[in-house]
Amino acid sequence: MSIEISNLNAVYNAGLPYEVHALTDIDLTIHDGEFVGLAGHTGSGKSTLIQHINGLLKPTSGTIKVNGEDIHAEGYNLRLLRTRVGLVFQYPEHQLFEADVLSDVAFGPKNQGLTKEEAAEKAKEALALVGMDESFYGLSPFELSGGQKRRVAIAGMLAMDPEVLILDEPTAGLDPMGRDEILGELKKLHEEKHLTVILVSHSMEDLGQYAERIVVMSGGKVVMDGTPKEVFSHSEELTAIGLAVPQVTSVCRMLADAGWPVENNVTTVEEAKRQILAALGKALPEEEGAHVS
């Protein structure tokens, strides 16, 4: 499913003294099957943008086309759009309300017209996709950890078979283990189901590790768009708008500046490890069966 955004503008309180331009001349295309990171500091416009993509907000001007169809054209089915382009808000566990996990995940499919049995089957499949087995089915959502609640909320969206999954800061407030579990499951879903994923985050470490492409916003505009390596090569510009390259990128850049034979645009810890070990003249354990101290 492709998403084409053309000359999109969103103005709040137009014509009033406190008029705010939340989005300005956004031109952006997201291709089928991409894993896109959307970055920006608070107030950059990223949350406003994803709510426009989902049809929750109507632009002041410009168009949003999904598979070539203008989502604000007369007669367009916005309700159907919101099942195909699923939006998981920040702290989605606040939206959990059913007595048990299975019922909560089955709620969306039932609203799509499925029978109770069909909805339950969809819910079980979705829970399996996020790594939750039948031992969780009868538990109250409120008995779960923060990370498990996020998984249930994501499963509730997956149960409706979306083609695009948009997540607004899905790891906010989680500990490092919970964050890694959620992002790992998202990457797995992207790869196994060819699901288009738009991940909103202020963590450049997370986006560098999981996203294939990063779109950076500032002041309601798209200011950068490229691969993680391309985006992280603009460290000074990122710092100027309140973002920073991942720590591992900074470390490798310092090593490169000091004369080490490593690339200065490394984006992941694994990539940095390989390059540093190669610079030291060592091979990884899996490559030669040796222990690396």
Side-chain angles (χ1 to χ4, degrees):
M1 174 179 283
S2 63
I3 299 169
E4 300 172 65
I5 302 169
S6 302
N7 197 31
L8 185 69
N9 290 273
V11 181
Y12 299 142
N13 305 310
L16 299 177
Y18 37 93
E19 176 178 289
V20 175
H21 289 256
L23 299 174
T24 304
D25 298 331
I26 302 291
D27 288 304
L28 185 65
T29 298
I30 296 171
H31 302 285
D32 183 46
E34 280 194 301
F35 193 128
V36 178
L38 186 59
H41 57 76
T42 302
S44 62
K46 57 189 189 295
S47 292
T48 301
L49 177 59
I50 61 173
Q51 290 181 59
H52 277 81
I53 294 174
N54 187 254
L56 291 175
L57 297 177
K58 188 172 183 179
T60 304
S61 63
T63 60
I64 302 169
K65 293 183 178 180
V66 174
N67 281 348
E69 294 185 77
D70 186 341
I71 69 171
H72 293 294
E74 185 176 353
Y76 188 87
N77 190 337
L78 282 173
R79 182 176 179 181
L80 177 61
L81 172 72
R82 290 169 191 146
T83 64
R84 299 170 68 195
V85 181
L87 174 57
V88 180
F89 289 98
Q90 190 174 10
Y91 300 109
E93 61 269 25
H94 295 168
Q95 298 167 252
L96 303 177
F97 62 93
E98 289 281 5
D100 60 76
V101 167
L102 190 63
S103 298
D104 209 297
V105 178
F107 180 81
K110 281 196 291 186
N111 273 359
Q112 289 179 306
L114 273 62
T115 66
K116 182 178 179 180
E117 292 74 19
E118 291 169 336
E121 195 58 37
K122 282 283 187 184
K124 291 175 183 177
E125 292 172 3
L127 285 165
L129 287 171
V130 297
M132 303 187 77
D133 60 30
E134 60 185 18
S135 65
F136 290 94
Y137 294 173
L139 297 180
S140 165
F142 308 105
E143 296 178 46
L144 306 178
S145 68
Q148 289 168 340
K149 288 177 182 177
R150 298 283 169 89
R151 291 189 188 203
V152 171
I154 293 169
M157 187 59 68
L158 291 173
M160 294 189 286
D161 288 328
E163 297 175 57
V164 178
L165 187 62
I166 306 174
L167 302 107
D168 192 358
E169 300 280 4
T171 62
L174 297 183
D175 60 28
M177 181 178 293
R179 182 194 67 201
D180 290 343
E181 288 176 351
I182 291 293
L183 294 176
E185 294 293 346
L186 287 175
K187 188 67 173 178
K188 183 180 176 182
L189 283 168
H190 164 70
E191 293 171 349
E192 293 183 356
K193 292 181 66 68
H194 196 64
L195 192 67
T196 302
V197 176
I198 302 173
L199 174 63
V200 178
S201 179
H202 65 274
S203 170
M204 301 303 268
E205 276 84 5
D206 290 345
L207 297 183
Q209 183 170 353
Y210 294 99
E212 303 164 339
R213 172 186 172 197
I214 298 176
V215 176
V216 180
M217 296 189 67
S218 180
K221 299 179 180 180
V222 171
V223 294
M224 295 183 200
D225 184 356
T227 66
K229 287 183 181 294
E230 290 169 341
V231 169
F232 295 157
S233 68
H234 299 280
S235 58
E236 292 80 9
E237 293 94 326
L238 288 170
T239 300
I241 60 175
L243 298 173
V245 299
Q247 288 183 333
V248 68
T249 306
S250 295
V251 168
C252 286
R253 186 162 293 164
M254 287 188 290
L255 289 173
D257 290 344
W260 282 56
V262 297
E263 295 178 8
N264 64 3
N265 59 355
V266 168
T267 61
T268 68
V269 172
E270 184 62 30
E271 186 181 8
K273 181 174 74 171
R274 290 183 181 279
Q275 293 203 25
I276 291 171
L277 286 175
L280 291 170
K282 296 182 178 181
L284 289 174
E286 61 267 27
E287 293 174 343
E288 65 171 20
H291 175 71
V292 178
S293 59

